[in-house]
């Protein structure tokens, strides 16, 4: 009887434990945490930029042939634009900007035709660009290429011993094209840091010093100049709108 009683007790305990295991748990399920939304680059933005610029001015002049001058200086200004995300990875955009372009260059030359010395300076004061952008977005990092049109100014000043009231100078607006690449990084929900390189190329512009207020000597009257610039700069950009407007798909 004692063995029968112990066996029955063991059976009851085991079956009770198995039955209890089948009962629904009263422990609360862990809360659902949705995945973070993907960063959206769609929207308008405004920013400021600053950096350095360096380039070259190639001059063709009567009595001199071809010669070049190195240019360099600082640049600063403002920019604005709009981005549109085609999907989770590709971004199309358009951007405009305007600012100070402190390109400066100087050189001393001697005329091939008459042996007169010449001092020439080349200056630029402003730069504007309109660009289209194509980018690859990796969440809050955007790698892009950009290109479009550029407009600036170019001032040429000449001085030599035969110009008593010199220098004689002419300033003209010039237009060209640009291409570049860079990366935007959203380090805060609406703040973006940028680092980029831009190349600007301008066609040849003619300068006739025959009719300037300060007359120049023979051999210095007619010349043409072309300019190319490289710019390396950083920018700080404010992006309008909610950064989480595109939800990641899982």
């Amino acid at each position: 009887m004692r063995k029968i009683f112990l066996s029955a007790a063991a059976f009851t305990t085991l079956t009770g434990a198995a039955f209890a295991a089948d009962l629904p748990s009263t422990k609360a399920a862990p809360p659902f945490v949705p995945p973070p939304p993907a960063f959206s680059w769609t929207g308008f933005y405004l920013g400021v930029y600053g950096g350095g610029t360096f380039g070259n001015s190639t001059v063709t002049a009567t009595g001199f042939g071809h010669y070049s001058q190195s240019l360099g200086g600082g640049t600063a200004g403002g920019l604005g634009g709009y981005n549109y995300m085609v999907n989770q990875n590709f971004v199309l955009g358009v951007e405009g900007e305007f600012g100070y372009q402190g390109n400066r260059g100087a050189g001393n030359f001697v005329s091939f035709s008459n042996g007169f010395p010449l001092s020439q300076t080349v200056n630029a004061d402003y730069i504007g660009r309109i660009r289209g952008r194509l980018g690859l977005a990796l969440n809050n990092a955007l790698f892009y290429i950009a290109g479009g049109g550029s407009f600036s100014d170019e001032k040429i000043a000449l001085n030599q011993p035969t110009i008593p009231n010199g220098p004689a100078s002419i300033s003209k607006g010039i237009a060209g094209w640009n291409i570049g690449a860079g990366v935007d990084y959203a380090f805060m929900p609406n703040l973006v840091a940028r680092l980029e390189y831009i190349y600007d190329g301008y066609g040849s512009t003619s300068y006739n010093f025959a009719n300037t207020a300060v007359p120049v000597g023979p051999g210095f009257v007619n010349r043409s100049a072309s300019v190319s610039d490289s710019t390396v700069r950083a920018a700080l950009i404010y992006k309008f709108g909610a950064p989480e407007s595109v939800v990641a798909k899982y």
Side-chain angles (χ1 to χ4, degrees), residues 137-181:
L138 301 177
N139 202 7
N140 59 338
L142 176 63
F143 300 87
Y144 66 88
I145 57 174
S150 306
F151 58 94
S152 184
D153 67 327
E154 183 180 31
K155 179 181 179 180
I156 293 182
L158 304 179
N159 207 354
Q160 54 155 321
T162 60
I163 308 178
N165 298 317
S169 64
I170 298 176
S171 183
K172 288 188 174 183
I174 57 177
W177 55 274
N178 65 76
I179 190 168

Side-chain angles (χ1 to χ4, degrees), residues 93-174:
V94 61
E95 183 175 286
E97 64 179 77
F98 187 82
Y100 169 75
Q101 185 85 337
N103 258 351
R104 302 288 184 269
N108 297 311
F109 311 95
V110 176
S111 172
F112 297 152
S113 61
N114 52 34
F116 287 166
L118 168 70
S119 173
Q120 174 176 286
T121 61
V122 179
N123 299 338
D125 293 320
Y126 66 84
I127 181 73
R129 299 182 182 95
I130 299 176
R131 305 190 294 165
R133 301 205 309 160
L134 174 63
L136 173 64
L138 301 177
N139 202 7
N140 59 338
L142 176 63
F143 300 87
Y144 66 88
I145 57 174
S150 306
F151 58 94
S152 184
D153 67 327
E154 183 180 31
K155 179 181 179 180
I156 293 182
L158 304 179
N159 207 354
Q160 54 155 321
T162 60
I163 308 178
N165 298 317
S169 64
I170 298 176
S171 183
K172 288 188 174 183
I174 57 177

